[in-house]
C-alpha cells in the first residue's frame, strides 16, 4: 500500500529463514540484531502487526518498541489481540485495530494516534494523493464523524469496553493465557499427533494453529468438532490445518471442552 501511494518501504523482517531449506517460515522472528532497521533519520515510521492470525504468531509485548530508536514512531496493528492484555500506548506513534476480533462487530476501526503525527506532512508528493478515508487528520478534525458512523457497531463496542473495564486488562490477560495454556498443553503432550509449528516464544494466545498427521484426519476432526457445536476450526485457506481462535468472547470452559475433544480424538485415531 505504501508503494502504491509513492512511498519507499523497507522490509525490516519477514519471517524466519529455514536453516535446512532456505525458505521463509512464519513461525517467529529472528533476534532484533538481525532486523534490517534503517537509519532513524531516514525512517518515517516502523509498522508491524502484533498478532498474525494465519500461522498463529504473536509478537511478545514491547519486543518491537524496545528494538526501534525512540525517535522513530512505531505503528502497530493490534486488530486481533487488542483488549486482551495491558498496553503502554505512550510508547507507540499509533495503534490501529479492527474491532471484529476482540471488541465488537465488524465495521469499526479504532485508531489511537499521537497528536504530533496528525500534523506531520514530510512528503507532500505522498500526502497530496492520500484518500480522505486514510487521512487521520481528516477524521480528527471531524471528531471521528466525517460521515454517518456505524452506530450499532459502536454501541456494541461500548458495551464491550465497559465489560473489559470492569474485568480489568490484567484479569483478561490472565484469562487469555489460561485458555491458550490448556490447548498448547495438549499439543505439547502429543507433538507427533498435534503438530504445532510456531516457536514457543511467539505462540499466539489468540489463534492456535496446528496440523494432524494427514489431511483426512484434519477433515474428520473438523467434522466431529462441528457435532459438538465447535465450528470455524478449518485453517486459513492458504495454509490448511486446524486454527483455534480464542478471542475475548471465548470462556475458559470453551477451551476446556475443546481440549477434551482433542484428547478423545487422539485416543480414537492415533
Amino acid at each position: 500500500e505504501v508503494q502504491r501511494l509513492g512511498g519507499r518501504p523497507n522490509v525490516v523482517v519477514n519471517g524466519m529463514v529455514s536453516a535446512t531449506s532456505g525458505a521463509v517460515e512464519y513461525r517467529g522472528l529472528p533476534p532484533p540484531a538481525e532486523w534490517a532497521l534503517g537509519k532513524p533519520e531516514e525512517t518515517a515510521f516502523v509498522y508491524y502487526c502484533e498478532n498474525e492470525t494465519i500461522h498463529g504468531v504473536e509478537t511478545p509485548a514491547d519486543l518491537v518498541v524496545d528494538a526501534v530508536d525512540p525517535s522513530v514512531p512505531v505503528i502497530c496493528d493490534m486488530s486481533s489481540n487488542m483488549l486482551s492484555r495491558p498496553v503502554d500506548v505512550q510508547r507507540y506513534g499509533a495503534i490501529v485495530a479492527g474491532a471484529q476480533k476482540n471488541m465488537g462487530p465488524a465495521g469499526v476501526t479504532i485508531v489511537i494516534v499521537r497528536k504530533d503525527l496528525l500534523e506531520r506532512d514530510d512528503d507532500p508528493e505522498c500526502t497530496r494523493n492520500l484518500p480522505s478515508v486514510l487521512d487521520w487528520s481528516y477524521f480528527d478534525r471531524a471528531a471521528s464523524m466525517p460521515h454517518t458512523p456505524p452506530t450499532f457497531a459502536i454501541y456494541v463496542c461500548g458495551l464491550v469496553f465497559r465489560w473489559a473495564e470492569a474485568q480489568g486488562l490484567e484479569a483478561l490477560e490472565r484469562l487469555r493465557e489460561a485458555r491458550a495454556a490448556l490447548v498448547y498443553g495438549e499439543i505439547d503432550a502429543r507433538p507427533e499427533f498435534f503438530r504445532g509449528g510456531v516457536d514457543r516464544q511467539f505462540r499466539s494466545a489468540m489463534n492456535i494453529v496446528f496440523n494432524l498427521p494427514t489431511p483426512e484426519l484434519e477433515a474428520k476432526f473438523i467434522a466431529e468438532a462441528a457435532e459438538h457445536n465447535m465450528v470455524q476450526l478449518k485453517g486459513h485457506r492458504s495454509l490448511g490445518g486446524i486454527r483455534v481462535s480464542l478471542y475475548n468472547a471465548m470462556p475458559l470452559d470453551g477451551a476446556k471442552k475443546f481440549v477434551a475433544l482433542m484428547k478423545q480424538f487422539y485416543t480414537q485415531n492415533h
Side-chain angles (χ1 to χ4, degrees), residues 185-243:
E186 187 63 19
I187 291 174
D188 292 340
R190 299 170 176 84
E192 78 289 346
F193 193 78
F194 300 111
R195 303 174 179 181
V198 178
D199 291 354
R200 287 175 181 264
Q201 180 188 1
F202 294 95
R203 283 176 164 179
S204 172
M206 299 282 97
N207 310 97
I208 299 178
V209 177
F210 61 89
N211 288 90
L212 296 177
T214 67
E216 291 74 20
L217 278 175
E218 291 173 354
K220 184 178 180 182
F221 182 86
I222 291 170
E224 291 190 12
E227 294 174 1
H228 292 81
N229 296 320
M230 301 179 195
V231 297
Q232 299 298 318
L233 291 171
K234 188 175 182 179
H236 190 272
R237 60 185 176 275
S238 66
L239 188 66
I242 310 296
R243 179 170 57 172

Side-chain angles (χ1 to χ4, degrees), residues 99-160:
Q100 67 274 7
K101 300 293 199 305
N102 271 326
M103 296 179 286
V108 175
T109 301
I110 310 296
V111 177
I112 304 171
V113 58
R114 275 185 1 214
K115 279 289 187 180
D116 64 293
L117 295 183
L118 293 174
E119 301 167 358
R120 289 180 61 178
D121 189 9
D122 295 340
D123 191 347
E125 290 302 316
C126 287
T127 56
R128 181 182 298 121
N129 298 320
L130 187 67
S132 60
V133 71
L134 300 179
D135 186 347
W136 292 346
S137 295
Y138 170 70
F139 279 81
D140 182 57
R141 290 191 301 269
S144 296
M145 292 192 294
H147 42 65
T148 304
T151 53
F152 180 73
I154 292 173
Y155 168 73
V156 175
C157 286
L159 296 179
V160 174

